[in-house]
Amino acid sequence: MVDPAVIRRYARSNISVPEGIWSSRPADLYDSSRRDRFATALWGVRTLLGGFASASRWDPSRVSPVRRTRLATVVGRELVAPDVVALTLADPDGGLLSPWTPGGHIDVHLPSGRRRQYSLCGRPWRRTEYRIAIRRIADGGGGSVEMHEAYAVGDPLVFEGPHNAFYLGTAEPDLLFVIGGIGVTPILPMIQAAQQRGTRWRAVYAGRSRDQMPLLGEVVSVASERVMVWADDEHGRFPSVDDLLGGAGPTTAVYVCGPTPMLEAVRAARARHAHAPLHYERFSPPPVVDGIHSSWNSGGRGLC
């Protein structure tokens, strides 16, 4: 132990203090012959914790990273339209999958390294299985073609999620669902949930022809009197925005997912009403206008 007088003598003579002094208990801060009690207590705590740390076998490198991906098995494969395949996924060990809500999606990690988002279109809140549906786009980015060709019943599938950025509100008393083609995937569970809650709702489902409208039978089966089906080949034209939004008032909450022209038309029409509730998802990024992506602030989130 180094005497406090020695420390003072070194300080007065401007001579460097030996390192051993700093490993000892500190002298009194006010140059008293008695040691500073508070500083001595801190030194004791530091020594005690240091001893625990030295005796511990904890090694940061042994901490397991958080697993973000999950493995599922394809347990069902069904063609729900000429160019749309539905895949049913389940836990490989028969366990429960993570909970999800209508409008939710998963991120699929394809064998090629691509990642694609697909809306969950099974029964709302069901955890024994997930279902996704994929429209094959021959001239797209390759993801949809790979999804059609890479997975058969029994194959493993790696995914992340589910996530949800297109959720169904619980405080909206009047709902209108506008569906275009494969945009049915996030909307179908919403319709089923609204029916279970007893919420007032109706839907407009538009497509080229009835046989090219995936999951049409399931939409109609929820409540056929509340669903208007618009097939272009039956009407000889595309639906107008009035056909899609007919009867929707300024307080009606509109949920829409479909091709960009449909979405843009609905957005423009709803913009005429201040604060009209509008929720949507896109098939693709926003269109480019004057060299920049157009934007909207009424709740558009993610991609279909």
Side-chain angles (χ1 to χ4, degrees), residues 26-161:
D28 186 83
L29 298 179
Y30 301 100
D31 204 22
S32 170
S33 60
R34 299 172 57 188
R35 297 188 178 279
D36 186 273
R37 294 180 180 179
F38 180 70
T40 300
L42 290 179
W43 175 87
V45 172
R46 179 261 179 200
T47 303
L48 180 63
L49 294 178
F52 285 144
S54 299
S56 173
R57 296 181 179 179
W58 179 75
D59 182 358
S61 64
R62 297 171 59 186
V63 177
S64 300
V66 176
R67 184 166 62 97
R68 297 185 180 277
T69 60
R70 294 197 59 177
L71 181 65
T73 300
V74 179
V75 296
R77 191 179 191 280
E78 179 187 5
L79 208 61
V80 294
D83 57 352
V84 179
V85 65
L87 301 178
T88 302
L89 315 174
D91 183 88
D93 300 320
L96 293 177
L97 298 168
S98 298
W100 65 283
T101 53
H105 68 271
I106 60 174
D107 293 57
V108 177
H109 292 232
L110 282 76
S112 66
R114 296 184 179 97
R115 291 179 58 177
R116 295 293 187 270
Q117 296 180 351
Y118 296 105
S119 297
L120 295 170
C121 57
R123 296 292 300 181
W125 304 289
R126 177 172 291 180
R127 297 183 59 191
T128 54
E129 62 184 31
Y130 292 159
R131 184 175 67 167
I132 57 177
I134 306 97
R135 168 154 275 155
R136 185 185 184 110
I137 303 175
D139 58 350
S144 66
V145 174
E146 185 176 0
M147 288 293 297
H148 273 246
E149 297 179 352
Y151 295 106
V153 173
D155 287 341
L157 182 145
V158 179
F159 70 94
E160 291 183 30

Side-chain angles (χ1 to χ4, degrees), residues 166-178:
F166 185 42
Y167 53 86
L168 177 65
T170 59
E172 296 167 325
D174 185 27
L175 308 176
L176 171 62
F177 300 104
V178 180

Side-chain angles (χ1 to χ4, degrees), residues 181-194:
I182 195 63
V184 68
T185 52
I187 299 293
L188 174 58
M190 292 184 180
I191 290 175
Q192 294 167 332

